Amino acid sequence: MLEQRIQQHFIDSADLKYQAGPLLGKPISQAMQALLACVTSGGKILACGSGVSGLLAAQFAAQFVGRFERDRPELAAIALPGDPADPAADTAEALGADRFARQVRALGQAGDVLLALSVSGQSAAVLAAVEAAHARDMTVVALLGNAAPSGSSTGGAVGRALRETDVQVCVPHERAARIHEVHLLALHCLCDGVDAQLLGDQDSDSSLLAA
């Protein structure tokens, strides 16, 4: 029984990634171009995520500054501290809704990119960060999902707050765990895509062996 449950997790995760690939390929490519344009013009990425998504934001920043699968010069990225243990962080009623916005106002500049993650699209803290980024004339790349109360639109309040010049990568699923898994894959795609543009393409097998 337990092994069947584990296998079902693998199956559900693989199914979602297979279905989401054709839908998310274009927006992930657009997001990669936005990050590349930012860092090649001397800008930086400010990454934040509500709740557990903050851990993914921190991982992205570490790989962007350090390395993904091959050595390269460091790229400018900062993970904005949040509270990954707060169970209400990804809701519109979360406490400390200004936590990311204050950091964006302090650190963000025109030409920078805000990389924001929210599986529901309803995070008050992420929404405030998006508004602060717009006030700083920053581009926003938002990784969102459908893990929101019934009746919410795709991407939630965060998705509705985005501008035409922003990029939304919205995972078509309602379960937070599955959305986190696709967000992680999307972040890996962003790191890999930027590296490929800066360093040139290389055989994926050899890059995996070198990692």
Side-chain angles (χ1 to χ4, degrees):
M1 181 66 177
L2 185 57
E3 290 187 8
Q4 290 178 348
R5 189 178 184 88
I6 292 169
Q7 289 299 316
Q8 192 61 49
H9 276 292
F10 278 85
I11 292 170
D12 291 347
S13 181
D15 283 347
L16 175 59
K17 291 171 183 174
Y18 184 79
Q19 296 169 14
L23 298 174
L24 301 184
K26 182 176 181 179
I28 291 175
S29 176
Q30 293 171 335
M32 185 270 293
Q33 294 295 342
L35 299 187
L36 182 66
C38 172
V39 296
T40 55
S41 62
K44 60 184 174 296
I45 315 300
L46 300 182
C48 68
S50 55
V52 175
S53 292
L55 301 176
L56 296 184
Q59 177 178 328
F60 166 84
Q63 292 175 326
F64 217 64
V65 173
R67 69 190 298 271
F68 177 54
E69 290 185 337
R70 40 184 170 156
D71 291 327
R72 54 154 169 74
E74 58 278 0
L75 300 174
I78 301 171
L80 305 182
D83 185 2
D86 180 3
D90 199 38
T91 69
E93 296 78 27
L95 298 176
D98 204 37
R99 63 170 67 115
F100 296 137
R102 291 179 64 86
Q103 297 175 74
V104 171
R105 290 192 292 269
L107 301 172
Q109 298 178 335
D112 290 345
V113 169
L114 174 69
L115 176 64
L117 292 82
S118 169
V119 298
S120 70
Q122 301 297 119
S123 169
V126 170
L127 177 59
V130 168
E131 294 169 347
H134 287 160
R136 284 285 189 267
D137 198 23
M138 297 168 58
T139 298
V140 177
V141 172
L143 272 59
L144 307 173
N146 289 344
S150 177
S152 298
S153 61
T154 299
V158 177
R160 293 192 296 272
L162 299 179
R163 297 175 173 175
E164 290 186 1
T165 52
D166 297 329
V167 182
Q168 179 179 174
V169 179
C170 187
V171 180
H173 207 270
E174 298 77 32
R175 189 169 181 179
R178 298 286 86 85
I179 297 170
H180 282 309
E181 290 161 3
V182 178
H183 280 179
L184 177 59
L185 180 57
L187 293 174
H188 286 169
C189 289
L190 292 178
C191 290
D192 174 74
V194 169
D195 281 3
Q197 292 294 311
L198 292 176
L199 304 176
D201 200 4
Q202 70 178 37
D203 182 78
S204 58
D205 290 338
S206 63
S207 62
L208 287 174
L209 291 173

